[in-house]
Amino acid sequence: MMGNYKRRDFLRSSTLGLAGAGMAMPVSQAIAQIPGDRPEQDRSLSVLNPRNRVPLSFIIDDSTCLVNMAYFGIPQFAEVFPDNYKQNWKLLPREIPDSFVRKFGEWCHEQGVKGKYSIVPYPACVGWVDRFLPGWSKKELEDSLHLVRTLMTPDWDIHPEMISHTRIIDTKTGRPYPEASEYFMENWRWTDDKSTDQIADYMAYALRILKNTGLDCEGITTPGGFGNRVLPELSQATFQSCRDVFQAEIPHYFRHLFTDERSVAPRVEYASGLDGSDPQCCVSIIGCTGDWFGGWDGLKLGSVERFITEDLQGGRMPEVINRGEPAVMVCHWPGIYYNGREFGFSIFKEVVRRLHEAYDHLIWMKLSEIARYWAARELTTIQRREDRILFTAPFACPQFTVSASDKNVAPQLVVDEQSVPLPKVKDALQLESGTWCEANEGLMICFDLPKGSSAIHLRKNSSS
Ligand SMILES: [Zn+2]
């Protein structure tokens, strides 16, 4: 896989793709995220949600090993904006213990919860997680990393956010810039005038630290307002840095969250080279709630009701789930821990209990899994040839689910000329990869979509 991915390659190829397709965009739209290439997809077929279930996920920001980002971060934020940060941070615990990470991680695993868990590489400039954390023993740091590697990574994507989440680090010296102003803080204005290469260099620095600890990343989380005024560069830099450091096939990032009527469907950006040996895109995963758990500092108690009401009808989650869009909740680790009282965790547990009681068609997914599904959903060529549906996929995708209006047929999956009859299941709720079911307007088919070409052969039932 390519190293040292130069922006020019990615940008040149994607704009080219656009120009080639005669879709010259007006300037205003050029500032927004460029979707890039989109293949032909036969409109008589629909790509449904995975297994025809609504994806759920949980975004955890400001988590890292041992360090309570609120305790160490607030004084650094207050140095820049004293009026905005008056919390008495010295009352907060300096540590969020591994015992709580274990308790939270095990409970989530039992419930099937999945999502993203940040590991801030140089948390509030306390210490480097790939070196040592002053105030903790080397063994404590190693045990903490081990816990993340063994308990968290199976269900959670790991993201940097970014290097320190406070001061901007000079990637040439590894030191914070001397100026404590909004222009040298990750949350605020440093990225305003930065190029894709400069932002990619900064992200890659963060990613390499996590790589040194044996953690894998396929995406990044932006701290505060990082990248807000340079969204095209942010998307391209995410692609460039995640490919460079981890050879991530489908890089993704978390920058946006919407709590209003705007769509929260993932955005597949800068797609290009779909038919070639190096298909590319970057996916923006959008959160659909604010932190209504315990706040970023663990001092602002939220409420279950904002997520889902007691009668299971109201709240933000039913709103998004009923739209059929991925419902991705957002929180901050200090708020889940809530300074040892775990109020954020209690709220989350009740939200999960209500969601599982209210719905039988949900599927918990990591952000990378949602990114892959949406990339496959939007970038797979889908053609209809008589009784065959032909797929040409730049990216493989598990549990890929499509619907067609055919009746009295027995679908077979055809890969490399091997034809495999798919067993029929009773209804959509039984859909698993490699099965199909009848649905009121035809049928639904769920299968592991391979990279490259494959087909579904809709053989007429001999009895019909
Ligand atoms: Zn954050």
Side-chain angles (χ1 to χ4, degrees), residues 61-62 161 165 187 221-224 332:
D61 283 1
D62 301 5
E161 185 189 350
H165 205 314
N187 282 12
T221 289
T222 56
H332 299 83

Side-chain angles (χ1 to χ4, degrees), residues 26 36 43 84 129 135 140 156 177 208 214 271 286 295 305 390 397 443:
R43 296 192 175 291
N84 302 357
V129 294
E140 286 171 319
W156 305 84
Y177 284 97
R208 275 193 293 272
I286 301 171
E305 302 301 303
L390 308 179
C397 181
L443 77 168

Side-chain angles (χ1 to χ4, degrees), residues 162-182:
M162 190 59 66
I163 297 177
S164 70
H165 205 314
T166 58
R167 304 285 290 266
I168 291 288
I169 304 302
D170 179 342
T171 58
K172 292 185 189 54
T173 64
R175 303 187 68 209
Y177 284 97
E179 182 182 328
S181 80
E182 61 180 323

Side-chain angles (χ1 to χ4, degrees), residues 17 63 66 82 86 91 95 100 111 142 149 159 191 224 252 254 259 266 304 317 325 372 425:
S63 39
L66 304 167
K86 290 197 162 45
L91 295 178
E95 176 182 304
F100 181 66
Q111 299 293 319
E142 280 163 0
R149 278 192 296 266
H159 282 189
T191 49
H252 67 274
F254 169 52
T259 57
V304 177
M317 295 302 278
E325 291 190 336
R372 177 172 291 276
V425 293

